[in-house]
């Protein structure tokens, strides 16, 4: 099974942010995904659809995401604002309240999507309703499960990001621990950089934003340092015995080349 992980487009009503044309960058990602990965089962968008949360930003999102040739599923991040999020993206899944919390039965397993965003605060939190919902969904299924949310639950080493991580990660860990081995992977956004590893034995990954990035100020007390590094999305392949994740720097496709094995001479641009 193949799906796409895309995150943090940070759209604005004006179309740009920090001198980056964030709408165009998302359009280019959608075009690249449609062209190269039209066989993907879906696109998962792990939050921060808008930067300021204005209605006009969600109008852009609805128009650009509509270009996908496969289903797409967003969730809310700390920059998103409700109800503008739901008004601009009426097709976005939600629970019977205002949480972007839902599940999908996919050919690769059970996708469980959590809403860690609390309006008005940058750090994340999972309420008791969602924790109980997660526990129940895991109890009801014997399929391999994949978790999606916006905030990272672990200490990453980048202190400016760790100050705005998921606050009650112990509560999430307690639910996960009640279902040993059932969750295969955790996907999140929020980091705006390449970052992967394992948390309490659970493999995790995120991917660069389609807008601006965050530099790796590891174990420093610097405030958040942003960067105009190239954006990316991830192609995720789920098989019976492997989960493979390929980050795609979609604005650098013109840099590809082949080379002659014997001479080492570059022979052709792709
Ligand atoms: Fe973000």
């Amino acid at each position: 099974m193949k799906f796409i992980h895309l995150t943090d487009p940070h759209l604005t009503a004006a179309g740009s942010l920090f001198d980056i044309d964030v709408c165009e960058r998302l359009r280019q990602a959608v075009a690249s995904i449609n062209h190269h990965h039209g066989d993907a089962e879906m696109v998962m968008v792990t939050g921060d659809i808008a930067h300021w949360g204005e209605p006009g930003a969600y109008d852009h999102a609805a128009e650009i995401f509509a270009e996908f040739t496969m289903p797409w599923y967003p969730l809310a991040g700390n920059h998103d604002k409700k109800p503008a999020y739901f008004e601009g993206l009426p097709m976005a899944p939600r629970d019977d309240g205002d949480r972007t919390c839902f599940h999908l039965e996919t050919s690769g397993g059970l996708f469980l999507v959590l809403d860690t965003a609390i309006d008005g605060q940058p750090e994340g939190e999972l309420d008791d309703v969602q924790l109980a919902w997660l526990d129940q969904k895991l109890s009801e299924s014997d399929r391999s499960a994949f978790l999606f949310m916006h905030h990272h639950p672990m200490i990453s080493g980048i202190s400016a990001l760790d100050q705005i991580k998921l606050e009650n990660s112990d509560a999430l860990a307690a639910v996960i621990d009640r279902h040993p081995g059932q969750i295969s992977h955790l996907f999140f956004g929020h980091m705006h950089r390449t970052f992967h590893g394992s948390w309490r034995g659970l493999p995790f990954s995120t991917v660069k934003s389609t807008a601006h990035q965050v530099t790796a100020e590891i174990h420093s007390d610097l405030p958040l340092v942003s960067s105009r590094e190239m954006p990316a999305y991830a192609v995720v392949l789920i098989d019976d015995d492997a989960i493979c994740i390929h980050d795609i720097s979609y604005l650098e496709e013109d840099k590809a080349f082949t080379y002659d094995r014997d001479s080492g001479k570059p022979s052709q641009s792709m």
Side-chain angles (χ1 to χ4, degrees):
M1 180 256 195
K2 174 197 274 192
F3 78 95
I4 305 298
H5 181 195
L6 181 149
T7 199
D8 291 77
H10 282 252
L11 302 186
T12 64
S16 67
L17 177 70
F18 312 136
D19 298 325
I20 296 169
D21 189 338
V22 288
C23 284
E24 181 59 16
R25 284 202 165 178
L26 182 59
R27 274 191 200 95
Q28 290 167 312
V30 171
S32 171
I33 291 163
N34 287 344
H35 181 71
H36 295 290
H37 306 289
D39 57 340
E41 194 163 312
M42 81 249 322
V43 181
M44 303 298 291
V45 187
T46 49
D48 282 357
I49 309 303
H51 184 75
W52 306 114
E54 339 90 290
Y58 295 108
D59 292 342
H60 288 315
E63 175 236 316
I64 299 168
F65 286 147
E67 296 298 315
F68 276 128
T69 56
M70 67 286 291
W72 51 277
Y73 300 95
L75 60 91
N78 56 295
H79 281 266
D80 290 308
K81 288 200 167 50
K82 301 163 188 165
Y85 174 99
F86 290 119
E87 288 168 0
L89 298 170
M91 68 297 284
R94 63 194 291 183
D95 67 359
D96 53 9
D98 66 350
R99 304 174 189 86
T100 59
C101 167
F102 59 98
H103 77 284
L104 296 170
E105 292 284 357
T106 78
S107 66
L110 176 63
F111 282 19
L112 297 168
V113 182
L114 300 169
D115 185 346
T116 57
I118 308 291
D119 266 14
Q121 71 175 51
E123 61 273 24
E125 196 177 322
L126 282 168
D127 59 21
D128 290 343
V129 172
Q130 284 190 83
L131 290 167
W133 175 84
L134 175 63
D135 198 20
Q136 183 189 348
K137 285 294 172 198
L138 290 169
S139 297
E140 289 171 352
S141 177
D142 56 5
R143 300 189 74 198
S144 180
F146 298 80
L147 276 190
F148 297 83
M149 58 190 194
H150 182 67
H151 292 81
H152 59 295
M154 72 291 294
I155 297 294
S156 70
I158 300 175
S159 63
L161 281 175
D162 292 339
Q163 288 166 19
I164 56 171
K165 65 187 263 299
L166 179 70
E167 285 204 316
N168 58 337
S169 50
D170 285 349
L172 174 61
V175 175
I176 293 171
D177 287 349
R178 282 201 285 279
H179 306 273
Q182 193 173 352
I183 300 176
S184 298
H185 198 92
L186 166 64
F187 296 91
F188 48 83
H190 197 46
M191 302 285 294
H192 290 235
R193 57 175 299 98
T194 304
F195 177 67
H196 39 237
S198 65
W199 173 57
R200 301 170 58 99
L202 173 62
F204 69 76
S205 63
T206 184
V207 64
K208 284 179 171 177
S209 160
T210 59
H212 57 293
Q213 315 308 331
V214 168
T215 64
E217 305 300 338
I218 296 170
H219 299 304
S220 84
D221 292 330
L222 279 176
L224 203 63
V225 180
S226 296
S227 161
R228 293 187 178 81
E229 287 172 53
M230 286 293 102
Y233 61 80
V235 176
V236 184
L237 305 174
I238 299 175
D239 214 332
D240 288 342
D241 62 357
I243 297 165
C244 298
I245 301 171
H246 302 269
D247 284 13
I248 308 296
S249 186
Y250 60 92
L251 295 188
E252 298 184 288
E253 289 171 351
D254 61 338
K255 293 181 179 171
F257 64 93
T258 58
Y259 65 90
D260 182 86
R261 237 173 228 287
D262 294 327
S263 69
K265 198 171 160 188
S267 54
Q268 183 187 334
S269 291
M270 301 295 287

